[in-house]
Amino acid sequence: MKIQFSPPDITLKEIEAVTKVLKSKWLTMGPKTIEFENKFSKYIGSKFSIAVNSCTSALFLSLKALNIQPGDEIITTTFTFAATANTIIHCGAKPILVDIDPNTYNINTKEIEKRISSKTKAIVVVHYGGQSADMDNIMKIARKYDLKVIEDAAHAAGSRYSNGKKIGNMGNLTCFSFYATKNLTTGEGGMITCNDNKLVKRLKNLRLHGMSKDAWKRYYGVKSNWYYDITEPGYKCNMTDINAALGLIQLQKLDRANNKRRSIALKYNKQLNELDVQLPFIDNKNESAYHLFPIQLNSFNRDQFINDMNSHGIATSVHFIPLHMMSYYQNEFGYQDGDFPISEKVFHKIVSLPIYPQLSDSQLKYIIRTIKKILR
Ligand SMILES: *Cc1c(COP(=O)(O)O)cnc(C)c1O
């Protein structure tokens, strides 16, 4: 048996929706992108959504829209994908890394306050694996020190906070990823949700060259209007209608897909409980979209485990190599191995198992059987 780590769930419906866009001959940002933005807002419960070409772009534009600039310091977790902190560096600001909570693997709220200085402007929070970070307390800290909050919700499309609301509503801006492996995919793509009208205007401007008008509004439809102004040197981060058409179908399936992920997580929990592993901590106050199912191997060698799983045809992955262990972050900012002991300890033991809606019962049984065979 061959089991992939996180293949996209693409059906005839997605193929037909994309074909329709291709036949319409309007390929770039246009009516499908607007429809996707509107439906995404409705799903999340946010006032606005701005579609972009990746979560990396979403994070970068969000920092730009909040006027993050050279000399600023931005607090974030070391236990994340590089995009979370690279985008801070792209603004000329300094990423101030923080260690994680040993149970949830989310940013340790108690450590945030210790790292705040007069230069601190914002906190970028990651909802690791789909489980909400400690948002109530993080928002309290942000209010106390007048900091902006950006949520990296790359793993959390469809997750809920402990207040029952969908993730995408608490920080100033929330960034979603529609990368090929994520819970909702458009191949490549991202979305920013927001409840502030002024920020939306700025983000739409930054998304497309700093143009006073969207290109599609100039060319789409009968009345063409050739005039535009450049109000600032913006970027080229718009979504295309090809991606949006894919996203609209994926959005329809998202709750069903996340429920399937949840039921797989329950089965893993039940079956792996007897083994010498640390299962993901489940906070019953919030609801995870289960983008990941990470386990920690208490005694078995993690790298050996990955190799053994591979030889049985099962792909796994590691989320994440802490950023403070990366050569650029060490050379440029002076971070060192040993700076964040919890992240490092977890990193050496952690492995993400396959979890996605198309995973069949027999595949899941085979994975569980193989894990038991390897660990015993
Ligand atoms: C995938 C991911 C991103 C980047 O998403 P892209 O859409 O590929 O740019 C950012 N943050 C986290 C935590 C991710 O897992």
Side-chain angles (χ1 to χ4, degrees):
M1 208 180 293
K2 265 247 166 305
I3 299 177
Q4 289 175 280
F5 177 66
S6 186
D9 180 21
I10 301 297
T11 64
L12 205 58
K13 271 189 160 178
E14 278 89 346
I15 293 166
E16 279 169 357
V18 168
T19 307
K20 225 167 133 186
V21 170
L22 295 175
K23 284 181 178 165
S24 82
K25 301 209 167 57
W26 187 268
L27 305 186
T28 185
M29 185 163 64
K32 280 287 155 193
T33 305
I34 306 300
E35 187 187 342
F36 186 35
E37 288 178 338
N38 291 338
K39 292 205 166 135
F40 198 78
S41 292
K42 203 165 168 204
Y43 176 80
I44 297 293
S46 64
K47 278 199 192 131
F48 308 103
S49 292
I50 299 104
V52 289
N53 56 1
S54 70
C55 183
T56 305
S57 295
L59 290 162
F60 175 66
L61 296 185
S62 294
L63 291 159
K64 280 280 169 189
L66 296 171
N67 294 316
I68 302 307
Q69 44 192 324
D72 292 345
E73 293 183 353
I74 312 297
I75 293 175
T76 194
T77 169
T78 188
F79 206 58
T80 183
F81 182 59
T84 315
N86 280 354
T87 45
I88 295 168
I89 301 166
H90 297 162
C91 294
K94 185 179 175 189
I96 303 296
L97 302 175
V98 169
D99 211 349
I100 52 168
D101 177 284
N103 294 314
T104 63
Y105 313 137
N106 277 321
I107 192 165
N108 188 332
T109 314
K110 290 190 197 91
E111 296 294 319
I112 294 176
E113 219 163 343
K114 293 183 198 158
R115 306 300 306 271
I116 293 173
S117 79
S118 58
K119 293 177 184 167
T120 310
K121 292 286 154 58
I123 307 168
V124 180
V125 179
V126 177
H127 303 295
Y128 179 94
Q131 178 157 242
S132 174
D134 179 19
M135 288 306 287
D136 290 331
N137 288 316
I138 290 169
M139 294 310 292
K140 259 185 217 155
I141 293 171
R143 277 191 293 272
K144 183 170 164 194
Y145 295 93
D146 192 23
L147 305 177
K148 305 288 188 203
V149 174
I150 296 173
E151 296 176 67
D152 179 339
H155 301 177
S159 295
R160 289 177 192 277
Y161 305 111
S162 59
N163 67 10
K165 280 195 182 173
K166 290 240 178 70
I167 284 184
N169 287 293
M170 281 184 89
N172 297 82
L173 295 162
T174 304
C175 302
F176 293 89
S177 172
F178 306 141
Y179 182 65
T181 58
K182 301 284 157 68
N183 289 32
L184 184 169
T185 184
T186 62
E188 297 275 3
M191 192 76 86
I192 308 165
T193 60
C194 154
N195 292 307
D196 178 340
N197 189 31
K198 273 204 209 98
L199 280 176
V200 173
K201 260 185 124 166
R202 183 85 199 286
L203 285 165
K204 285 191 173 170
N205 209 254
L206 287 168
R207 167 174 69 175
L208 202 69
H209 306 296
M211 277 164 96
S212 57
K213 237 178 263 173
D214 293 341
W216 76 274
K217 280 187 188 148
R218 290 189 297 128
Y219 295 116
Y220 192 80
V222 201
K223 254 199 280 176
S224 84
N225 179 0
W226 56 267
Y227 186 78
Y228 61 88
D229 185 24
I230 298 292
T231 55
E232 64 180 312
Y235 303 89
K236 181 68 168 86
C237 299
N238 60 284
M239 181 173 275
T240 77
D241 268 18
I242 304 170
N243 302 102
L246 197 47
L248 279 161
I249 305 293
Q250 292 264 308
L251 183 60
Q252 286 174 10
K253 308 197 293 195
L254 184 58
D255 278 341
R256 214 177 329 134
N258 285 349
N259 283 337
K260 185 75 203 292
R261 286 170 182 272
R262 224 161 273 135
S263 80
I264 292 169
L266 283 174
K267 285 177 190 159
Y268 270 139
N269 275 333
K270 205 169 150 207
Q271 293 294 325
L272 303 181
N273 198 23
E274 62 192 83
L275 301 173
D276 190 21
V277 299
Q278 185 177 326
L279 296 167
F281 172 79
I282 299 170
D283 186 346
N284 287 319
K285 288 200 300 299
N286 52 40
E287 199 173 292
S288 176
Y290 281 106
H291 175 58
L292 301 176
F293 193 89
I295 61 171
Q296 282 190 69
L297 305 169
N298 292 336
S299 46
F300 200 87
N301 181 282
R302 191 268 316 270
D303 296 353
Q304 182 65 47
F305 178 80
I306 291 173
N307 287 340
D308 290 354
M309 289 290 274
N310 249 328
S311 66
H312 286 88
I314 303 167
T316 56
S317 192
V318 173
H319 300 88
F320 290 98
I321 307 167
L323 292 180
H324 72 275
M325 296 171 82
M326 301 290 185
S327 61
Y328 178 81
Y329 284 78
Q330 299 199 339
N331 297 334
E332 187 66 23
F333 304 110
Y335 290 112
Q336 292 175 355
D337 290 4
D339 279 352
F340 303 110
I342 297 170
S343 298
E344 271 174 58
K345 186 167 162 257
V346 172
F347 158 60
H348 288 298
K349 291 167 177 265
I350 207 163
V351 58
S352 297
L353 303 179
I355 183 166
Y356 44 88
Q358 318 92 292
L359 201 66
S360 70
D361 278 345
S362 62
Q363 286 177 314
L364 186 61
K365 276 191 188 130
Y366 174 72
I367 296 170
I368 289 164
R369 208 174 340 119
T370 307
I371 294 172
K372 287 182 176 171
K373 199 158 85 184
I374 293 170
L375 294 187
R376 263 179 197 145

